[in-house]
Amino acid sequence: MNERYSRQVLFPGIGKEGQEKISRKHVLIIGAGALGSGNAEILARAGVGKITIVDRDYVEASNLQRQQLYTEEDVAEKLPKAAAAEKRLKAINSDVEVRAIIGDATPEMLEELVPDVNVMIDATDNFETRMGMNDAAQKYNVPWIYGACVGSFGMSFSIIPGNTPCLNCLLRTIPLQGMTCDTGGIISPTVQMVISHQTAEALKMLVEDWEAVRTSFVSFDLWRNQYSSMKMSKAKFAGCLSCGEERTYPYLDRDNMTKTTVLCGRDTVQIRPAKAGEISLEQLSAQLCSLGYKVKGNPYLLSVEMGGERMVIFQDGRALIHGTKDLTHAKTIYQRIMG
């Protein structure tokens, strides 16, 4: 057994056999922000065989306070978080296969990725994506770990298809929607606590110690010194469309996904093109420069400015329009620049 993991192997809950299992497993992390970067680093250091990380955003200065994989250089280069995370994770542990996907975790993407993974970790910032993850997990029988945090408050729950209530069931009992936006600020210890809960559960699942997996819903407030753990077995709902007796997986229907989204905690609107497909950033840059726009870019995205307005365009055609929460105004800017 690799000396690198010797201290982990000494832990009775993992041991040599558990470490070998970890090295053969595939973890999917949706979101490469605070929770995603922390989960990814711990699991990479633990020797997980393969990590796939999906994220739609790029690194900004405000991320550095709590998103541990990123540097000031990443901010200056406007690197997509997934690309920056892949680079850092490979430097941390070259034994781990890392795949970065720059884009939205759409129903089509989830249907493609989830059947091939052993555990999925929620590190996203919106419930539309979470509900898609939940349906994909139920459809393909993949366990996943919900996590969210804001301010000094955090929560986590392990979802095992066929055993525990799913996220759709929980929404009938616990008002989780308030946790989707970080407008109230965030302190890094809150992030680290949620990460600890998520990665501990992930390791239990990866070594297949299902009896050790926590089935209670955990929430805490580090600033007010509060911690609670609620049993959720009675929350399972037979009529649930995601995990019930007549399930239809409604959140895997692309028609139920919005094409425009206001990003949490930011004056930014994301617009997805009606048809997905790669665009030539080089050609688009030349075209926009000829029209008088100020354009900066890297192999992953272009930053376009004119008259105090700024839009970032990704290779998959998605765009982030900064400085507004007005969807109509954002669409106007998008159409003016993209044509």
Side-chain angles (χ1 to χ4, degrees):
M1 179 59 63
N2 193 328
E3 175 66 19
R4 177 178 199 137
Y5 309 113
S6 60
R7 302 303 184 270
Q8 190 164 279
V9 168
L10 286 172
F11 174 64
I14 294 180
K16 182 178 179 179
E17 182 180 350
Q19 187 63 45
E20 290 175 347
K21 288 180 179 179
I22 289 172
S23 70
R24 296 193 297 267
K25 297 296 177 66
H26 181 186
V27 177
L28 172 62
I29 302 175
I30 304 296
L35 294 180
S37 59
N39 272 281
E41 179 169 344
I42 289 176
L43 293 175
R45 292 184 184 277
V48 171
K50 181 178 180 180
I51 296 173
T52 298
I53 189 161
V54 181
D55 192 274
R56 64 188 181 184
D57 209 348
Y58 60 94
V59 184
E60 296 186 291
S62 61
N63 302 148
L64 300 181
Q65 167 249 356
R66 66 199 180 282
Q67 299 184 18
Q68 63 194 57
L69 286 179
Y70 310 125
T71 66
E72 292 178 352
E73 184 178 352
D74 298 327
V75 174
E77 295 180 3
K78 287 187 169 60
L79 278 183
K81 291 180 182 179
E86 179 183 36
K87 179 180 177 181
R88 181 73 185 278
L89 292 171
K90 287 180 175 179
I92 288 171
N93 191 344
S94 58
D95 291 339
V96 177
E97 181 183 351
V98 182
R99 179 188 179 192
I101 300 176
I102 303 165
D104 260 334
T106 61
E108 292 93 338
M109 182 184 293
L110 290 169
E111 292 254 30
E112 177 187 343
L113 295 176
V114 173
D116 187 45
V117 304
N118 301 104
V119 174
M120 181 164 51
I121 294 180
D122 164 33
T124 187
D125 60 1
N126 70 90
F127 258 81
E128 184 176 80
T129 302
R130 283 190 176 112
M131 298 307 287
M133 292 172 63
N134 183 67
D135 275 11
Q138 298 301 320
K139 184 175 181 178
Y140 296 106
N141 197 35
V142 173
W144 71 290
I145 306 155
Y146 165 78
C149 51
V150 62
S152 58
F153 184 74
M155 56 175 64
S156 180
F157 182 63
S158 299
I159 299 173
I160 305 173
N163 187 328
T164 67
C166 76
L167 186 63
N168 209 4
C169 293
L170 291 187
L171 292 178
R172 297 167 52 86
T173 306
I174 302 174
L176 300 178
Q177 289 93 331
M179 294 300 296
T180 61
C181 195
D182 61 358
T183 52
I186 185 82
I187 57 173
S188 188
T190 309
V191 174
Q192 297 301 320
M193 179 71 92
V194 175
I195 290 169
S196 294
H197 278 291
Q198 289 185 297
T199 50
E201 294 303 297
L203 288 171
K204 295 173 190 177
M205 294 176 182
L206 293 172
V207 301
E208 302 170 19
D209 188 355
W210 298 105
E211 291 185 3
V213 174
R214 174 177 38 79
T215 56
S216 59
F217 186 95
V218 167
S219 64
F220 59 86
D221 190 323
L222 291 179
W223 207 260
R224 294 176 176 81
N225 305 308
Q226 298 170 349
Y227 188 95
S228 67
S229 178
M230 298 181 291
K231 292 187 178 297
M232 301 304 300
S233 56
K234 292 183 179 180
K236 193 166 178 61
F237 174 51
C240 176
L241 295 179
S242 297
C243 73
E245 296 170 356
E246 297 182 5
R247 60 188 73 178
T248 60
Y249 312 116
Y251 299 99
L252 289 179
D253 185 347
R254 185 175 176 84
D255 291 339
N256 290 332
M257 291 195 70
T258 58
K259 300 297 186 293
T260 56
T261 308
V262 178
L263 299 192
C264 277
R266 298 163 60 185
D267 287 332
T268 300
V269 173
Q270 174 181 264
I271 295 180
R272 288 198 306 269
K275 294 183 179 180
E278 289 194 2
I279 61 176
S280 171
L281 295 179
E282 185 177 353
Q283 290 181 8
L284 181 60
S285 176
Q287 178 183 343
L288 293 175
C289 286
S290 70
L291 295 173
Y293 289 97
K294 182 180 179 182
V295 182
K296 294 181 180 179
N298 58 44
Y300 309 101
L301 57 82
L302 295 179
S303 177
V304 184
E305 295 184 41
M306 177 177 271
E309 296 173 338
R310 185 164 72 93
M311 184 171 84
V312 173
I313 307 163
F314 292 85
Q315 201 167 31
D316 62 1
R318 287 180 308 112
L320 300 181
I321 292 84
H322 294 284
T324 184
K325 292 182 180 179
D326 186 319
L327 299 182
T328 301
H329 181 58
K331 287 180 180 178
T332 299
I333 296 172
Y334 179 84
Q335 290 165 359
R336 184 170 69 241
I337 293 177
M338 296 297 286

